[in-house]
């Protein structure tokens, strides 16, 4: 399996956009560039026009807009992205497979990621409380006190520089 859903909305969203970028690169976009540049690349635009499915193209631009808001404006991942995004990407992968950009096995691996539901959250460990909590400076009964250093700072005179008063 290529990806695993984690249940973390931001992590799943980033994985979804990475799969989208990979699909756009397979459709002819350059590997270096932003998601917007990949979506607006000439081969990708020709591919999207040839689909005849305006929902895919509109959905990709909505997904790009949501990605820019999440990454650059640090907004929350919109709820529709994790529900509509996988079906949009699955539709795109289907069309890419029909055109020969993906092998059937590769698309099935990506479908498995898109269809998988996130795992349930892991159990949180319970802290084990000690039998008796001690005060930070509490001594155990019968323990000797720490020695006090024998320094005679009070006998030493301090050298203070003389400054004229202004």
């Amino acid at each position: 399996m290529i990806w695993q859903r984690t249940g973390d909305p931001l992590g799943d969203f980033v994985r979804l956009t990475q799969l989208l970028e990979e699909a756009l690169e397979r459709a002819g976009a350059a590997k270096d560039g932003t998601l917007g540049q990949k979506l607006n690349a000439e081969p990708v635009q020709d591919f999207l026009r040839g689909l005849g499915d305006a929902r895919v193209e509109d959905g990709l631009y909505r997904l790009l807009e949501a990605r820019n808001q999440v990454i650059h404006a640090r907004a929350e991942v919109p709820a529709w992205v994790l529900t509509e995004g996988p079906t949009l990407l699955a539709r795109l992968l289907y069309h890419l497979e029909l055109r020969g950009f993906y092998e059937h096995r590769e698309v099935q691996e990506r479908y498995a990621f898109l269809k998988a539901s996130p795992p349930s959250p892991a159990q949180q460990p319970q802290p084990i409380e000690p039998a008796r909590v001690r005060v930070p400076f509490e001594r155990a009964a019968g323990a000797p006190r720490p020695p006090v250093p024998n320094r005679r700072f009070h006998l030493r005179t301090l050298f203070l520089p003389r400054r004229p008063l202004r």
Side-chain angles (χ1 to χ4, degrees), residues 62-78:
R62 280 185 64 207
L63 195 60
L64 171 69
E65 205 174 287
R67 181 226 176 251
N68 288 342
Q69 289 296 316
V70 169
I71 300 297
H72 299 299
R74 299 190 188 267
E76 277 190 45
V77 177

Side-chain angles (χ1 to χ4, degrees), residues 54-120:
R55 291 183 301 172
V56 173
E57 189 172 358
D58 293 340
L60 290 176
Y61 279 107
R62 280 185 64 207
L63 195 60
L64 171 69
E65 205 174 287
R67 181 226 176 251
N68 288 342
Q69 289 296 316
V70 169
I71 300 297
H72 299 299
R74 299 190 188 267
E76 277 190 45
V77 177
W80 68 267
V81 170
L82 296 178
T83 56
E84 296 175 24
T87 56
L88 173 71
L89 190 57
R91 189 176 294 138
L92 178 66
L93 290 172
Y94 170 75
H95 289 295
L96 285 169
E97 181 186 9
L98 287 179
R99 301 280 170 95
F101 290 107
Y102 277 100
E103 294 178 8
H104 183 67
R105 177 186 49 80
E106 293 175 314
V107 172
Q108 290 303 320
E109 290 174 348
R110 282 147 183 88
Y111 282 160
F113 163 74
L114 294 173
K115 290 180 183 177
S117 58
S120 59

Side-chain angles (χ1 to χ4, degrees), residues 24-67:
L24 293 176
E25 289 170 5
R26 291 277 183 105
K31 289 194 182 287
D32 54 338
T34 63
L35 183 61
Q37 291 171 341
K38 291 178 184 181
L39 191 57
N40 290 320
E42 181 106 10
V44 174
Q45 287 298 312
D46 292 340
F47 172 76
L48 292 175
R49 273 188 237 112
L51 291 180
D53 190 1
R55 291 183 301 172
V56 173
E57 189 172 358
D58 293 340
L60 290 176
Y61 279 107
R62 280 185 64 207
L63 195 60
L64 171 69
E65 205 174 287
R67 181 226 176 251

